[in-house]
Each structure stands twice: as structure tokens, then as C-alpha cells.
Amino acid sequence: MEDQEMQLKVRRVSDKFTESMYVLANEPSVALYRLQEHVRRSLPELVQHKTDMQSWEEQSQGAIYSVEYACSAVRSMANSSVYFKNIDSVLRQAISMKEQMCSSQGRSLHDGKPSPSPHVAASRGSSS
């Protein structure tokens, strides 16, 4: 009887050892299978997120460029105030000269003097 008990105990130990070896041998492949399943399920969503992020990045880069361009335009407009002031003073001088010319032509008509031709007046104005 002891022989049968010993055989039974040996069989149990060997069965447990075999089962442990089977689990240890298959555990990495099961883990890799689970990882593969997870990647297959989540990869399309991750790819979609990546493309969305790239699209948003392109849109934001375009918006940043537009804002920088607008800021540059505003800065150049602020710097151009000097030119507008010069244009204003030149226009005022031109108006003043025209008024002087009109008043001198009006006086010359009253005095009976013939008014100079437009070509002569233009050449006098350009020489001074």
C-alpha cells in the first residue's frame, strides 16, 4: 500500500509540476496575445487622434502666421504716420500756393494785365 500511496503522491507532484511548467511556458505568449489585442483595438483611435492633432497644428500655425502678419501691418501703419504728416504739409503748401496763384491772377485781371499762359506759370513754379 505504501507503494500505491507513493505513486499517487509522485503522480500529484508531477502533475502539479507539469501544470506549472505549462503555465510558465505559455504565460509570455498569452501576455503578448493580450497586448496584440489591445493594440489592434486602440490603434485606429490613436491614429485618428494623431491626424486630428496634425490638422489642428496646421490650422493654428496658419492662424499664428495671420496674426503675426496683421501685427506687422499695424506696426508699419503706426510707423508711417511720419509720411502722412509730410503729405499733409505738402498738400497744405500746394493749396496755399494755388490760392496765391488764384488771387494774383484775379488782381492782374483787375489791373488790365494779361494773365500769363499756363505753360509759363508752370515753368515758373517748377524753377523755384
Side-chain angles (χ1 to χ4, degrees), residues 37-82:
E37 280 182 330
H38 175 70
V39 168
R40 280 188 182 167
R41 270 189 261 122
S42 63
L43 190 63
E45 186 178 342
L46 290 173
V47 168
Q48 184 61 42
H49 283 302
K50 180 182 177 185
T51 56
D52 289 345
M53 291 298 288
Q54 287 173 336
S55 172
W56 293 336
E57 180 185 15
E58 290 172 6
Q59 290 175 357
S60 63
Q61 288 296 327
I64 288 169
Y65 176 77
S66 297
V67 167
E68 287 175 350
Y69 185 73
C71 288
S72 170
V74 168
R75 272 189 235 106
S76 65
M77 287 174 70
N79 294 337
S80 66
S81 65
V82 173

Side-chain angles (χ1 to χ4, degrees), residues 20-21 27 47 53 75 97 101 108 122-123 126 128:
S20 295
M21 290 304 288
E27 185 61 29
V47 168
M53 291 298 288
R75 272 189 235 106
M97 290 176 75
M101 288 173 61
S108 66
S123 64
S126 63
S128 57

Side-chain angles (χ1 to χ4, degrees), residues 13 22 36:
V13 168
Y22 179 76
Q36 181 184 10

Side-chain angles (χ1 to χ4, degrees), residues 84-101:
F84 285 116
K85 288 177 185 176
N86 286 342
I87 291 170
D88 182 54
S89 68
V90 169
L91 285 172
R92 288 180 191 274
Q93 287 176 357
I95 291 170
S96 169
M97 290 176 75
K98 182 175 184 320
E99 288 173 352
Q100 286 176 359
M101 288 173 61

Side-chain angles (χ1 to χ4, degrees), residues 101-116:
M101 288 173 61
C102 287
S103 68
S104 68
Q105 283 180 354
R107 273 189 265 137
S108 66
L109 286 176
H110 278 57
D111 294 341
K113 295 180 186 173
S115 64

